[in-house]
Each structure stands twice: as structure tokens, then as C-alpha cells.
Amino acid sequence: KATNGFGSINVNYSLTVIDDSNPGRPVGTTPVGGTKPRFTQPQKMRRKIIQRPMGSSVRLKCSASGQPKPEIIWSKDGRPLTDEDLGGAKKGQRWTLKLRNLRPRDSGRYTCKVFNRIGSINATYKVDVTARMTTKPQLTGVHPVNTTVEFGTTASFQCRVRSGVKPHIQWLKRVEEHELHKHPNTTIDVGGVKFIVLPTGEVWSRPDGSYLNKLMISKAKEEDSGMYICLGANTMGYSFKAAFLTVKPDPDKI
């Protein structure tokens, strides 16, 4: 404001500070019409420490959404990965990082940074590449264990196998001679003993490098009682362990 004997005059100025990372948006204001990125499959990102043997592969997931559509950058031990590291994947196909034919130099911390003009999120995986085991698989822990269940309930066995590569895990049940007619096409002979091959579910890899498989027997009946075997095999051989299931009699028939 300036004043003299003839009067006064006012001049007003407005100062706007611009955020360099978001050109055109004043500092302290909130962007309109957008959302910060968020991971869309967090259930597939729970395992952050991953062990894999040499020669195997791993997939690191960082699927996300946001408005505007976010971008993703992958880095290893703080160094941005190149297009060659990403296998030539296009921008829209980089939500999953695929590492194939793993070698010791692939060990490290892999971070995905997902961002748009609203904000950013990140996740880090630790990958540990171990020497490939050249021995047959080993069953670890106490499982499977002898089990007794009530008639009509669910019985379960579990089996943990340590192997340098993902093993084939199979469950078998011993059958007696008088039961063979019930399983004409599903029996195998092991040392003169007959077994039936049971349906096998998914094999889960565990953070300690072992593999887990479970056998579930729903609505157990007395005829389900008997010897069950968990067999783990790879190209170097196999190992197995047996356990017995006892199903109590049907109380309605006692």
C-alpha cells in the first residue's frame, strides 16, 4: 500500500508453490479424481522369504490397482532392474517378476514399487538360492502319526518331505487279499504287499525348504482303518513312512 497527499493505492500478489513431482498441483492440496495404488492380491504376497534350489524358478507377485492406472518398477538390492532382467516384459505385464533357472547370484532382496500421481506403495521379497541337493528326499518331523477318530468324522494325515527339487508325494493304503476285488485297477505290489494309490492333493512348499502334503478322509468308516504310507520321491530315489488309522465303530450299530 502506497500513500501520499493525493491519496493511496493497493497492489495484491498471490503466491502459488508448485510440487515438482506433480506439475500443476499446488503443495498442500489433494489431487481430485484419483486413488492411491493398492495391492489386489495380498494373499499371494504373504511369503516374503523364499528359498529355492539352483535351477528352479520363482514368481514374485505385486499386482495392484489405482486411479490413474499405476506403474511398477522392480529393483534388486536397491538397483533398478533392466528390461533384460525383466525378460523383455512389456509395462503392462510386469506385475509378476519371473525368475527362471535360478543361480546363487540371483539371491537378494527384490522390491516392487507401485506408483501413480496420488501416491506409492512397495513390497520386498528376500530370495535365497541354495545348492541343489543330489540325494533322495527325506521325510522330516514326526508325521504321519498313528491316529484314532470317531465314526463319521474327518481323519487327516500330513507328510513333510525335504528335497532339493519339488518331490512327488503319494499316499498309499495297504489292502488285504479279501479287499482286492474292490480295487481291481488301483493296486500296486510292493514286496508282496498290496497297496491302493490314493488321490493326492496339492503339495505346498514351506519357508524352510521342505514340502507339505495332507491326506484328508471325510466321514471315516471302519473300513478306512488300516496302514497308510506317505511316499516322497524325486529322480534320486524315494523315502516313505507309515502310520495307522483306527476308526471307532458306528455307535448306532453297537
Side-chain angles (χ1 to χ4, degrees):
K1 179 178 180 180
T3 304
N4 62 17
F6 296 96
S8 63
I9 185 172
N10 293 307
V11 178
N12 296 319
Y13 294 91
S14 295
L15 174 64
T16 301
V17 180
I18 303 299
D19 184 352
D20 289 340
S21 63
N22 292 277
R25 178 164 67 88
V27 170
T29 63
T30 302
V32 178
T35 58
K36 179 181 177 180
R38 67 177 184 86
F39 292 120
T40 56
Q41 297 179 317
Q43 72 279 6
K44 295 184 179 181
M45 301 172 61
R46 292 173 182 167
R47 288 187 55 216
K48 296 298 177 64
I49 300 177
I50 302 172
Q51 286 187 325
R52 287 290 188 275
M54 288 176 54
S56 64
S57 61
V58 67
R59 295 159 62 94
L60 309 179
K61 297 180 180 293
C62 274
S63 298
S65 64
Q67 184 61 38
K69 184 177 180 179
E71 297 183 49
I72 184 170
I73 295 176
W74 285 94
S75 62
K76 176 179 181 285
D77 297 328
R79 179 185 64 83
L81 297 181
T82 64
D83 289 343
E84 182 179 356
D85 295 328
L86 297 171
K90 298 179 181 179
K91 284 189 176 182
Q93 301 172 343
R94 295 180 178 178
W95 302 108
T96 298
L97 178 62
K98 303 173 184 177
L99 304 176
R100 299 183 176 89
N101 192 25
L102 290 171
R103 299 183 181 183
R105 66 169 180 258
D106 294 317
S107 295
R109 300 175 69 86
Y110 291 81
T111 299
C112 65
K113 180 181 179 181
V114 181
F115 61 95
N116 61 14
R117 63 181 175 83
I118 309 299
S120 65
I121 53 177
N122 63 76
T124 298
Y125 295 90
K126 184 178 184 299
V127 176
D128 183 17
V129 182
T130 59
R132 181 183 291 274
M133 295 175 62
T134 56
T135 59
K136 68 179 184 179
Q138 298 293 327
L139 273 66
T140 63
V142 298
H143 296 281
V145 296
N146 295 340
T147 302
T148 300
V149 298
E150 299 288 340
F151 180 90
T153 60
T154 298
S156 66
F157 290 110
Q158 62 174 286
C159 184
R160 294 183 182 181
V161 179
R162 185 175 297 279
S163 174
V165 294
K166 188 174 183 178
H168 175 72
I169 299 179
Q170 184 67 63
W171 288 92
L172 310 174
K173 181 181 184 295
R174 179 175 177 172
V175 292
E176 304 300 334
E177 289 293 332
H178 66 275
E179 299 177 298
L180 292 179
H181 69 281
K182 300 179 182 178
H183 315 281
N185 301 315
T186 58
T187 59
I188 60 174
D189 188 299
V190 181
V193 180
K194 301 292 185 180
F195 291 89
I196 57 172
V197 180
L198 302 174
T200 301
E202 182 180 359
V203 176
W204 294 287
S205 59
R206 295 173 52 81
D208 62 1
S210 65
Y211 296 85
L212 173 68
N213 183 259
K214 293 184 178 182
L215 174 67
M216 307 294 291
I217 303 170
S218 301
K219 299 180 180 179
K221 304 179 291 294
E222 287 185 75
E223 63 191 58
D224 292 318
S225 297
M227 175 194 289
Y228 289 79
I229 286 180
C230 173
L231 184 147
N234 63 19
T235 56
M236 301 302 297
Y238 66 90
S239 297
F240 64 90
K241 187 176 181 181
F244 288 86
L245 172 65
T246 301
V247 180
K248 294 183 178 181
D250 183 351
D252 294 335
K253 296 182 179 180
I254 297 178

